[in-house]
Amino acid sequence: MAPVGPRSGDAIFSSIDRVNAELFTLTYGAIVRQLLTDLEEVEEVNKQLDQMGYNIGIRLIDEFLAKSGVSRCVDFKETAEMIAKVGFKMFLGVTASVSSWDADGTCCSIILEDFPILAKVFTTAMS
Amino acid sequence: MAAIYSLYIINKSGGLIFYKDCGTKGRMDTNDSLRVASLWHSMHAISQQLSPVNGCTGIELLEADTFDLHCFQSLPGTKFFVVCEPGTPHMESLLRYIYELYTDYVLKNPFYEIEMPIRCELFDINLTQAVQSDRVALLGR
């Protein structure tokens, strides 16, 4: 039978189960708060969050490949586009854009407008 | 009705992480299934070397007199293969559906360690439903 072509981020996002964005934001906030209480050092907390993100990522990639049906990317540029356009859309429902490529094409920025988690962040002003 | 004999899932290093036999034929005990899975992992890897064409992704179908073996390898390297009666249709769709079940019920299980044997109840339940013959026919749409 004919292989299924890659699906768009929107199509996948609407077809899978979702949780409330508020729940997600507040849960994440609670995790960060707890880590800060436990570890106290911002550096340590960031390291821990990075490790958690990595562990989540290695499980997420299979779901991404299974649901989107994309094939191997040819180069890093394509990988970045795939993450920004399909990945973020599929898992978080946000659109991201890729920019600021360096000369080698090895480094770029992924810009997110309206990131749900940031809605609840308050920064203190130092007087 | 054409039948599925067994299903194997192999991790990236070639170890068997899941084995289910669905029929009365071709039952294997644990040691044999582990051995067979490792052999298949090696053969799959060798087939990629043997291929005269660049970019070969390994054996997808093995046809024998008494069975067919369909294999699907995900990009990260996990292999799903099913042994079935010769001529059973829709096996590729079934393997892709099982891959989705794996991502939904195994990988999202926080108690499941990557590359370890799969012991996830929800996965078992959904898999049993998926391999029922009438469900397999639906996959071929």
Side-chain angles (χ1 to χ4, degrees), chain A residues 26-109:
Chain A
L26 292 170
T27 309
Y28 185 72
I31 291 175
V32 175
R33 189 77 183 77
Q34 191 58 45
L35 280 171
L36 278 166
T37 314
D38 289 343
L39 301 170
E40 283 162 25
E41 292 277 306
V42 175
E43 272 309 305
E44 279 301 313
V45 172
N46 279 331
K47 238 177 25 174
Q48 192 71 298
L49 286 171
D50 193 63
Q51 185 59 36
M52 282 164 64
Y54 179 78
N55 290 339
I56 294 172
I58 51 180
R59 291 173 185 245
L60 225 53
I61 182 60
D62 269 309
E63 185 183 1
F64 175 76
L65 291 168
K67 300 254 162 77
S68 67
V70 300
S71 53
R72 203 176 276 279
C73 289
V74 175
D75 57 14
F76 186 57
K77 283 208 158 87
E78 204 184 327
T79 311
E81 283 293 320
M82 204 55 75
I83 294 173
K85 294 281 174 298
V86 189
F88 273 107
K89 190 76 205 157
M90 178 174 148
F91 288 117
L92 291 174
V94 295
T95 29
S97 49
V98 187
S99 61
S100 328
W101 280 104
D102 72 345
D104 298 329
T106 55
C107 186
C108 69
S109 303

Side-chain angles (χ1 to χ4, degrees), chain B residues 13 16 18-19 27 34 43 61 69 71-72 80 86 93 98 109 127 133:
Chain B
S13 11
L16 183 69
F18 187 80
Y19 167 62
R27 281 233 154 120
L34 282 163
M43 285 214 292
L61 172 62
L69 190 153
C71 181
F72 167 68
F80 301 78
S93 306
I98 292 174
N109 186 330
L127 187 64
S133 42

Side-chain angles (χ1 to χ4, degrees), chain A residues 37 45 66 76 111-113 116 119 124 127:
Chain A
T37 314
V45 172
F76 186 57
I111 318 288
L112 299 149
E113 296 105 36
T124 56
S127 55

